Amino acid sequence: DARVTQTPRHKVTEMGQEVTMRCQPILGHNTVFWYRQTMMQGLELLAYFRNRAPLDDSGMPKDRFSAEMPDATLATLKIQPSEPRDSAVYFCASGLPVSSTEAFFGQGTRLTVV
Amino acid sequence: GENVEQHPSTLSVQEGDSAVIKCTYSDSASNYFPWYKQELGKGPQLIIDIRSNVGEKKDQRIAVTLNKTAKHFSLHITETQPEDSAVYFCAASKGDSNYQLIWGAGTKLIIKP
């Protein structure tokens, strides 16, 4: 059963700490998205990768957020330093843009910054 | 800027009845319109999508209609079942982008037994 795997599922951290969220895209998918979901803003695209290269990270606060794909099986989203306003659910999604525009979402990481 | 408005924010229907969720978009260049279903504690899942060269698409109990002139599209669910209870999101492509979507705010659908 192919699925996007995100870790951790839940994270509570203190303000100022570094947070790293990990994502394993579906094997063979060559696009990866990072989304943030909050009640106030809804779903926001933070970053988009194709073939491990970042094509669009315009939605990401550059001063504290960074996204990378060290290899085809791992995508990471880091926040340093974290702030209470970063509290949200962060979703990773993967897809195959040539054959479909569908994005397959993981179950998300619920981040709480206190 | 571009936006997608989704109505209603909450919809409660009796099991077996139909549900309709409506979205309007502002970017006339949008050409791809997906609908995602999000169950509690899970990520959104694509349930149906439509492209601008098609006016209607149906998949079993789910259908989507698109009116490009009026810039609105709708999701229709017939014979609703308890498992249809979820939050539904519409989205529109940003121009002809194949990855950048503008999302609606979501509709919480409640199916009453």
Side-chain angles (χ1 to χ4, degrees):
Chain A
D1 181 28
R3 64 180 72 182
V4 174
T5 303
Q6 290 186 247
T7 56
R9 291 293 313 279
H10 303 273
K11 176 72 176 179
V12 180
T13 191
E14 291 185 346
M15 182 174 62
Q17 296 298 306
E18 178 178 301
V19 175
T20 298
M21 290 168 271
R22 293 177 172 80
C23 168
Q24 181 176 1
I26 293 173
L27 188 64
H29 282 190
N30 66 341
T31 60
V32 170
F33 306 79
W34 281 105
Y35 280 94
R36 177 170 61 186
Q37 186 175 42
T38 61
M39 289 296 293
M40 294 300 295
Q41 299 296 329
L43 276 161
E44 302 173 276
L45 179 66
L46 297 176
Y48 169 70
F49 288 76
R50 180 182 294 183
N51 296 324
R52 296 175 55 200
L55 295 191
D56 186 349
D57 59 3
S58 58
M60 203 164 62
K62 301 293 190 304
D63 57 337
R64 299 183 299 107
F65 285 60
S66 63
E68 296 179 343
M69 280 200 75
D71 61 61
T73 64
L74 177 64
T76 62
L77 180 66
K78 291 186 181 180
I79 308 174
Q80 169 62 23
S82 58
E83 298 181 0
R85 59 178 168 153
D86 300 330
S87 297
V89 180
Y90 291 82
F91 286 104
C92 173
S94 69
L96 284 168
V98 174
S99 61
S100 168
T101 44
E102 178 176 1
F104 294 80
F105 282 76
Q107 292 193 290
T109 293
R110 180 174 294 277
L111 174 65
T112 303
V113 183
V114 297
Chain B
E2 303 92 351
N3 75 308
V4 172
E5 293 191 1
Q6 184 172 347
H7 299 282
S9 56
T10 304
L11 178 60
S12 183
V13 301
Q14 203 69 40
E15 181 180 349
D17 288 350
S18 295
V20 180
I21 302 170
K22 298 181 179 181
C23 290
T24 57
Y25 61 98
S26 60
D27 186 351
S28 56
S30 295
N31 64 0
Y32 174 64
F33 308 90
W35 285 88
Y36 279 78
K37 174 184 180 182
Q38 186 175 23
E39 297 176 341
L40 197 62
K42 297 185 178 180
Q45 180 181 12
L46 181 73
I47 55 171
I48 196 166
D49 57 10
I50 192 167
R51 294 199 176 271
S52 58
N53 57 348
V54 176
E56 184 174 355
K57 185 176 178 180
K58 191 174 181 180
D59 183 4
Q60 299 183 329
R61 295 186 298 109
I62 294 173
V64 58
T65 59
L66 171 65
N67 183 328
K68 281 214 72 180
T69 303
K71 290 191 215 164
H72 67 69
F73 56 113
S74 300
L75 177 71
H76 304 253
I77 306 175
T78 59
E79 300 172 17
T80 53
Q81 300 170 4
E83 54 264 35
D84 295 330
S85 294
V87 178
Y88 291 81
F89 292 95
C90 65
S93 64
K94 193 170 184 179
D96 59 358
S97 170
N98 67 349
Y99 74 91
Q100 179 72 283
L101 295 174
I102 306 165
W103 293 81
T107 295
K108 183 175 183 179
L109 177 61
I110 301 166
I111 307 301
K112 297 180 290 184

